[in-house]
Amino acid sequence: ITFFLFICLVINLIAVSCTDDDDDDGEPICFKVNGFYASVYHMWSDGSTHTSNLQGLRSFTETISRNGETHTLEWTNIDNNYSTDRTDSFDCKIDGTSYQYPRDEC
């Protein structure tokens, strides 16, 4: 019986360690683009969005804080299309995790 309880404990610990608790609402981080403005959804624990103006930029890093929460966003490979006045694609690393637009579009 002791061995059985030990195995159950190990299985429970493995299951807990494999869950994704990056955000409280369970929604994956995603992006919406409006013109040259890119909005990040599901990054903040309170559900609010963050919007950055990408016009004229190829890459930049920003560290933002709100309500005791801090995130670092590394924007790279920004492709601004001035014939359509919108950002077509970019890579964004948020706190070390890589995302891409349009792949991670909401």
Side-chain angles (χ1 to χ4, degrees), residues 4 7-8 12-13 32-34 36 41 44 48 51 54 57 68-69 73 75 78 84-88 90 97 99:
F4 176 75
I7 295 299
C8 289
N12 187 39
L13 289 174
K32 288 186 181 178
V33 170
N34 183 9
F36 296 111
Y41 288 78
W44 299 107
S48 58
T51 301
L54 307 182
L57 302 171
E69 193 175 339
L73 289 76
W75 303 86
I78 300 168
T84 61
D85 289 329
R86 79 176 259 114
T87 299
D88 287 339
F90 56 80
T97 301
Y99 300 92

Side-chain angles (χ1 to χ4, degrees), residues 31-93:
F31 302 88
K32 288 186 181 178
V33 170
N34 183 9
F36 296 111
Y37 292 90
S39 296
V40 184
Y41 288 78
H42 312 298
M43 179 178 68
W44 299 107
S45 60
D46 67 2
S48 58
T49 62
H50 170 73
T51 301
S52 295
N53 183 353
L54 307 182
Q55 186 174 9
L57 302 171
R58 281 292 294 150
S59 64
F60 69 100
T61 299
E62 60 183 333
T63 300
I64 49 177
S65 296
R66 180 184 305 166
N67 298 329
E69 193 175 339
T70 301
H71 295 287
T72 300
L73 289 76
E74 299 173 52
W75 303 86
T76 58
N77 300 318
I78 300 168
D79 180 20
N80 289 313
N81 185 335
Y82 294 98
S83 64
T84 61
D85 289 329
R86 79 176 259 114
T87 299
D88 287 339
S89 64
F90 56 80
D91 297 331
C92 185
K93 199 176 272 190

Side-chain angles (χ1 to χ4, degrees), residues 6-19:
F6 175 75
I7 295 299
C8 289
L9 175 65
V10 169
I11 291 172
N12 187 39
L13 289 174
I14 291 171
V16 169
S17 68
C18 291
T19 59

